[in-house]
Amino acid sequence: MIFTTFSIGHQVAEASSIVDIDWEENVVSVFVNGEEVLFDSPQPPYVKDGYTLVPFRGIFDALDATLSWDEKTKTITGQLNGRKITLRLNEKAAMVNGEKVRLDVPAISKYGRVFVPLRFISEGLGCQVFWNASNRTVHIFSSQEVKVTYISTNLNVETNDYRYDNCYDNYSAVSDRYMFADEGKIHILGNDKEKLYIHHFDLAFRSHQQTIVPMDLPIFGGFHVSDDGYYYVVYGAENYSELDSKDVFSIVKYNKEWKEVGKLRIRNVYVTQPFRASNLEMDSRNGVLVVHTARLRYTSDDGKRHQSNISFLIDTKSMTLLPREAGSYQWPNNHVSHSFATFVRFDGDRVVYVDHGDAYPRSIVLQTEDNGMITSEINILRFPGKVGDNYTGARLGGFEVATSNYVVVGSSVYPKNSYGLSETKNLFVATVPKDAEDDTAVKINWLTDFSSSSRKSVEEMHIRKINDDRFLLIWRVDEEDRPSSTFYAVIDGEGRVVKEPKKISIPSPGNMHPLIIGNDVYWYSSSYVGTFIYKLHAE
């Protein structure tokens, strides 16, 4: 398989080399910003004499470009990304931003439709174009803010994987993949339920190596790069027999060569299924690792197994559990039930938990822990309804620690849409002062304003820390019967927007934290044709 890029004036090129290929006329598939374009034409896109031709209205609409057609002169004019192109039917000369260029294949008429050279249209409008010869597929990315890099490696992990279930339950899931930087390289970690696969790339994604590590227990829970220079992976095992003697969690410590250097097995913590209906987050500071996730508990007196959160503090030098305030793992002091999303960060020596609870309490709740004791509980967004309703109309995307506040991002039907089964969810940023004593200290800034009649909703959101006063937000807007859209913005530690929201025409990160290196943000999408790496400069 050869993936190639098009450039004006050349036929087919890989990097800077030119490859001339004789093609027979054949149909091709076209993807724009990760979505396949379905052309309404008797003749679909095809390759003729080495060039891809597409119906002109279909490709301009897919690119969201401005289009005009002069029937008298048979002239097409298009504008996108501050660029303007002009070409006429059957003429091999065209204009790009006022400069004349030569076309090897002109626009032509076929089956009563006008077909245009895809390479010229896309690159003339400032897009990035990739051609897959093996399956006759063209991928086009129209965003100028994002640099796209193609690598031929299939990373074997589904990247259309953002799961916050449906409007009735609103629960999340652990991430099966991570992207991180270390030792002057960028790494991508995934698993196939038996082994971890760690792919190692240089910063330009030119070199590639792979490390394979056997999993310690059958279920993958999460991964963390610690401040002590080691990697930590959490595994789990089901325990429907409710045996106190069975290991249900394993936290394994690895060195930079992925050799195991320590391990903590955990049992007798009232777990039948680890990570149930939630995600897993970790953080570390000064030799202490905190793990925050959820589980399905042992059978209660009512004959049911209930879901709630569970967390561990671990001494990473001895790989032992640290003592906490009196309580039990059945009813921990930071108990939230049901916890449909779990996040945790250190703030100095303080541990800060944020949960999406639908029962006890029914809220997005923030709790602080100092010296093993829960010292505050702040309800950021309360949900109406009764215990057991499950539906909350909200999603929790994450939180970070600013200089004076805790900054939480999520989406909800509130405050302008009625509670119930509404699909409409608006993006919010909540700030909680570090010295907050009750819920009145919470400030919420709503970044979208979709009405209850709107078909739009924010389904996926991320917050990543650039520094103590700058945070990157990335979110996805879904709209019924239309492709989803990805946006980003930058906020400060007070939750105020300092770089206005902007649409970027690439797939969203999915169920993974985007990687921050300085002001550059990375994520990726992978499929059978290979992997696309996205790099956004968020100054």
Side-chain angles (χ1 to χ4, degrees), residues 290 292 309-313 323-328 331-336 343-345 349-355 361 365-379 436-437:
V290 58
H292 190 41
N309 63 357
I310 189 169
S311 52
F312 305 105
L313 292 175
R324 303 173 71 190
E325 180 187 3
S328 71
W331 307 108
N333 292 291
N334 64 330
H335 172 75
V336 174
F343 293 90
V344 67
R345 291 288 183 270
D349 292 328
R350 166 182 282 185
V351 184
V352 187
Y353 307 96
V354 181
D355 290 75
V365 58
L366 181 147
Q367 299 179 77
T368 59
E369 180 176 340
D370 296 282
N371 299 317
M373 300 179 63
I374 299 301
T375 50
S376 69
E377 179 178 312
I378 305 295
N379 294 289
E437 296 182 354

Side-chain angles (χ1 to χ4, degrees), residues 380-499:
I380 294 171
L381 195 66
R382 291 181 180 269
F383 308 129
K386 61 183 184 299
V387 172
D389 279 352
N390 283 344
Y391 173 79
T392 63
R395 300 185 181 196
L396 173 61
F399 95 101
E400 294 289 352
V401 178
T403 302
S404 302
N405 297 305
Y406 303 123
V407 184
V408 178
V409 61
S411 68
S412 176
V413 298
Y414 302 106
K416 298 183 179 180
N417 301 300
S418 61
Y419 174 80
L421 300 183
S422 169
E423 288 286 348
T424 301
K425 299 178 180 69
N426 281 302
L427 180 69
F428 70 83
V429 175
T431 53
V432 181
K434 294 182 179 182
D435 59 357
E437 296 182 354
D438 56 43
D439 304 354
T440 61
V442 177
K443 295 180 180 179
I444 296 182
N445 181 16
W446 295 87
L447 272 66
T448 62
D449 187 22
F450 304 137
S451 68
S452 57
S453 61
S454 172
R455 294 184 175 184
K456 295 182 178 180
S457 63
V458 177
E459 302 292 336
E460 172 189 335
M461 69 294 304
H462 307 265
I463 180 169
R464 299 298 284 156
K465 187 173 186 175
I466 300 173
N467 58 49
D468 285 345
D469 194 48
R470 287 293 184 271
F471 303 87
L472 175 74
L473 300 183
I474 300 175
W475 66 94
R476 189 188 79 209
V477 175
D478 287 315
E479 184 175 2
E480 188 177 337
D481 299 327
R482 290 184 60 85
S484 59
S485 303
T486 305
F487 293 80
Y488 85 99
V490 178
I491 62 172
D492 64 15
E494 300 295 328
R496 298 172 299 211
V497 174
V498 295
K499 183 169 184 176

Side-chain angles (χ1 to χ4, degrees), residues 297-306 331 338 360 387:
R297 299 198 306 262
Y298 284 1
T299 306
S300 299
D301 293 339
D302 61 4
K304 298 179 180 179
R305 291 175 172 140
H306 295 280
W331 307 108
H338 307 109
Y360 303 102
V387 172

Side-chain angles (χ1 to χ4, degrees), residues 147 149 151 153 155 177-190 197-211 223 225 231 256 258 512-525 531-536:
K147 179 182 178 182
T149 300
I151 56 177
T153 304
L155 299 181
R177 57 193 180 95
Y178 289 79
M179 194 173 191
F180 62 101
D182 204 0
E183 303 287 295
K185 293 184 176 182
I186 292 177
H187 314 268
I188 296 176
L189 178 149
Y197 294 86
I198 305 97
H199 301 268
H200 315 284
F201 302 94
D202 64 15
L203 296 180
F205 295 95
R206 290 175 300 221
S207 65
H208 172 238
Q209 295 176 312
Q210 181 178 258
T211 301
F223 165 78
V225 180
Y231 304 141
K256 296 296 179 65
W258 284 94
M512 65 164 281
H513 290 310
L515 170 65
I516 295 274
I517 303 178
N519 286 337
D520 292 327
V521 188
Y522 297 82
W523 66 94
Y524 71 98
S525 62
T531 299
F532 291 103
I533 308 292
Y534 310 113
K535 177 182 176 181
L536 168 68

Side-chain angles (χ1 to χ4, degrees), residues 32-33 57-67 78-81 125 127 142 482 485 503 505:
V32 172
N33 302 322
R57 290 193 183 277
I59 191 61
F60 276 91
D61 287 345
L63 291 170
D64 201 22
T66 300
L67 168 67
Q79 297 185 68
L80 182 70
N81 293 327
L125 293 174
C127 302
S142 63
R482 290 184 60 85
S485 303
K503 181 179 177 179
S505 299

